[in-house]
Amino acid sequence: MLKKVLIANRGEIACRVIRACRELGVKSVAIYSEADRESLHVKLADEAICVGAGTNTDSYLNLANVLMATQISGAEAVHPGYGYFSERANFAVALEALGVKFIGPPTGAIESMGDKASAKKAAIAAKCPVVPGSDGPVPTDVEALKVSEKIGYPVLLKAVAGGGGRGIRRVNSPEELGDAWRIATAEAQASFGSGEMLVEKFVENPRHVEIQVFGDQHGNMVYLGERECSIQNLRHQKIVEEAPYAQLPERVRKKMGEAAVRVAKSVGYQNAGTVEFLVDDKFNFYFLEMNTRLQVEHPVTEEVTGCDLVYMMLRTTSGEKLPLKQANIELKGHSIEVRITAQDPDNDFSPSTGTITGWRAPMGRGVRMESHCYAGFTVSPFYDPLLAKLIVWGEDRADAVRKLQAALHEFEVEGISTNIPFLRRLCATPSWVKGEFDTGFVPKFLDGEAT
Ligand code: ADP
Ligand code: ADP
Ligand code: MG
């Protein structure tokens, strides 16, 4: 087993990984910014090293400082969490040069899946259905117009380097394309340093369904069921995630799982990864992208499979074989996660910062919390607004929904605004309770049209 691991992240995910390290007898090293001195991840770790001032570029994204902290700490491996350096091949390469293991896939797999154009190419080569669209990046708006005419409107312009729901723009007609192109390419350039665009058919009323895959260094790979993540905000960011997708026919689950494994194997994948799909109302599925890291919503998979994905990441990195075979993986019960964010639902979900004066988190049977927050902690403006993930498990979806409603009722945060009141309303909406929704649910809900 690994002896010492540095966690190159902050927030709830750093706490999650540090706990797993302690449970497995692995020494943990936290890194933190000056603004995160009082964060829980710093207190939980065996050691902690400050990597710079408050902004991400000064600290968590400061490559030289993170590498130096790794060397000073003597860690033999680095867990990147999600975001930050988790999907940057150059980070894994730099660690390798220092003789430090990257807890994640091989560099080549990160590169193959790093941009949406080459990821789609890999999926096509692995005989996995993809959303119809351009073959690779589209150089000009004139070219985009041609592709759109061919596949038919509405289409989406999508940043090749995009992620986290940014750099995506819907175009309903040729007249809209010119403006959309200018805005989207500028946004992509500013956010990702690349203005390259794909054109993709806009799939009407789809579900977002993703498959968790896991591979070891010995050529074994399994899929651990799916997660349904259609409840997304107006920027296509996930808010509620569940496992399984209750209505998914077993036959389709198997086909999607096998397609995901095929795609992952085709790029030499190892460790934890997620293949994202859109699923239409006839259960046709289309590859969207692959996230080459641990996903924010991984706990719902853990709850229904009984697997600890972070244990598996640490163990397979140290060379152990996967502890399970496909035939032995069963999904038991139902799990739902909601993302608790520091955003004001009464004010266009604008970020809320300041000191948390009161924090009463829900408890009880079937309730799991992942968070770095507590009463007295100050939420700074520098980072992602995620405060906590509330995860419930129930015997079936109806049971999980009741537990979630009760837990949200119990959750009290004082001092800053959170999206908890919004989540309470959303999770009390009859159509959501019945499981009748798609990726268009939240816009409808906000317009008061969800019943
Ligand atoms: P996932 O696909 O795992 O659900 P999201 O779509 O929520 O992840 O987020 C996508 C990306 O947004 C992450 O990979 C990361 O770049 C960024 N992100 C989200 N939450 C955080 C966070 N708490 N800290 C840093 N980055 C984050
Ligand atoms: P990101 O890298 O930002 O996560 P994705 O390609 O995974 O980008 O898309 C994010 C979300 O945007 C999807 O979950 C879905 O809701 C929506 N979306 C993406 N592509 C399409 C499409 N072709 N048609 C309809 N919705 C889409
Ligand atoms: Mg995605």
Side-chain angles (χ1 to χ4, degrees):
M1 193 48 186
L2 303 169
K3 290 192 176 60
K4 196 176 200 180
V5 168
L6 180 132
I7 296 89
N9 214 302
R10 62 175 302 281
E12 66 84 19
I13 195 62
C15 297
R16 165 79 186 89
V17 177
I18 290 165
R19 284 200 182 94
C21 286
R22 184 170 302 277
E23 289 160 20
L24 295 180
V26 178
K27 288 261 173 284
S28 58
V29 184
I31 60 167
Y32 64 97
S33 71
E34 282 167 13
D36 264 343
R37 217 169 266 284
E38 299 301 325
S39 182
L40 192 57
H41 80 284
V42 177
K43 300 176 202 283
L44 293 182
D46 292 307
E47 297 169 30
I49 300 175
C50 182
V51 287
T55 65
N56 279 319
T57 39
D58 283 331
S59 53
Y60 301 104
L61 282 177
N62 183 326
L63 184 64
N65 287 7
V66 174
L67 292 175
M68 207 168 345
T70 305
Q71 268 198 307
I72 291 167
S73 73
E76 69 184 299
V78 170
H79 195 301
Y82 51 73
Y84 294 124
F85 291 131
S86 62
E87 296 184 90
R88 306 258 184 108
N90 68 333
F91 182 64
V93 169
L95 287 178
E96 203 175 322
L98 296 176
V100 175
K101 290 181 175 128
F102 175 75
I103 302 178
T107 319
I110 304 176
E111 278 167 352
S112 303
M113 293 299 173
D115 78 72
K116 291 190 200 297
S118 64
K120 267 179 105 169
K121 275 212 178 83
I124 292 167
K127 300 206 164 20
C128 177
V130 301
V131 183
S134 54
D135 312 316
V138 178
T140 61
D141 54 349
V142 176
E143 198 60 34
L145 209 53
K146 275 191 210 149
V147 177
S148 307
E149 291 294 342
K150 211 171 102 202
I151 58 177
Y153 291 90
V155 300
L156 281 185
L157 300 180
K158 258 187 176 179
V160 168
R166 282 161 301 168
I168 298 181
R169 196 146 221 110
R170 180 178 167 151
V171 182
N172 295 306
S173 65
E175 293 72 45
E176 287 179 23
L177 198 134
D179 282 345
W181 177 268
R182 270 185 297 282
I183 297 169
T185 49
E187 189 178 294
Q189 185 67 47
S191 305
F192 311 110
S194 154
E196 280 200 315
M197 284 287 152
L198 280 181
V199 180
E200 211 169 81
K201 176 90 187 155
F202 180 82
V203 181
E204 300 282 354
N205 312 321
R207 296 264 190 163
H208 173 114
V209 183
E210 56 187 37
I211 303 284
Q212 176 73 50
V213 297
F214 208 107
D216 65 16
Q217 298 173 2
H218 309 282
N220 305 302
M221 190 178 291
V222 294
Y223 60 91
L224 293 144
E226 75 281 8
R227 292 183 287 260
E228 208 293 353
C229 313
S230 297
I231 302 296
Q232 304 176 350
N233 66 18
L234 302 182
R235 312 211 59 191
H236 306 290
Q237 293 163 329
K238 299 160 189 164
I239 309 173
V240 183
E241 302 106 339
E242 40 189 297
Y245 169 17
Q247 294 101 317
L248 192 69
E250 192 56 44
R251 159 188 69 80
V252 184
R253 174 171 295 124
K254 185 159 183 279
K255 257 174 77 180
M256 289 180 76
E258 289 170 356
V261 166
R262 234 174 20 248
V263 172
K265 277 192 171 167
S266 78
V267 297
Y269 208 83
Q270 290 170 20
N271 220 286
T274 295
V275 181
E276 296 190 334
F277 296 95
L278 290 182
V279 176
D280 68 18
D281 52 1
K282 297 179 190 71
F283 298 112
N284 296 306
F285 58 88
Y286 307 95
F287 173 90
L288 263 187
E289 62 160 347
M290 180 168 189
N291 293 325
T292 56
R293 55 175 164 89
L294 188 66
Q295 203 101 343
V296 176
E297 57 274 21
H298 75 278
V300 295
T301 298
E302 298 184 320
E303 294 303 311
V304 297
T305 59
C307 294
D308 187 304
L309 292 169
V310 181
Y311 282 9
M312 285 164 66
M313 292 181 86
L314 295 167
R315 284 178 170 149
T316 54
T317 299
S318 75
E320 288 182 34
K321 280 197 178 141
L322 267 187
L324 33 83
K325 294 223 160 27
Q326 192 63 54
N328 303 334
I329 297 168
E330 266 182 73
L331 309 180
K332 190 166 170 282
H334 196 94
S335 182
I336 309 176
E337 170 183 289
V338 292
R339 300 190 190 193
I340 311 293
T341 59
Q343 286 176 303
D344 185 355
D346 294 328
N347 194 5
D348 245 352
F349 292 90
S350 60
S352 170
T353 58
T355 300
I356 297 173
T357 53
W359 179 267
R360 198 183 74 193
M363 290 181 239
R365 182 163 173 245
V367 174
R368 167 177 172 185
M369 282 286 303
E370 297 287 347
S371 179
H372 57 292
C373 296
Y374 54 87
F377 179 70
T378 298
V379 176
S380 87
F382 299 124
Y383 313 113
D384 189 273
L386 188 69
L387 297 176
K389 302 184 308 205
L390 164 61
I391 304 114
V392 296
W393 182 88
E395 281 166 32
D396 53 24
R397 189 170 187 275
D399 187 32
V401 166
R402 287 191 298 268
K403 287 200 166 76
L404 179 63
Q405 290 168 337
L408 282 170
H409 174 77
E410 197 174 319
F411 210 152
E412 296 277 357
V413 179
E414 281 157 24
I416 57 169
S417 299
T418 74
N419 66 341
I420 294 173
F422 163 81
L423 290 170
R424 284 186 193 135
R425 288 194 299 273
L426 191 152
C427 297
T429 307
S431 49
W432 182 82
V433 170
K434 281 186 269 176
E436 291 164 5
F437 53 81
D438 54 47
T439 57
F441 183 85
V442 172
K444 248 173 45 191
F445 175 75
L446 290 173
D447 287 344
E449 287 163 16
T451 47

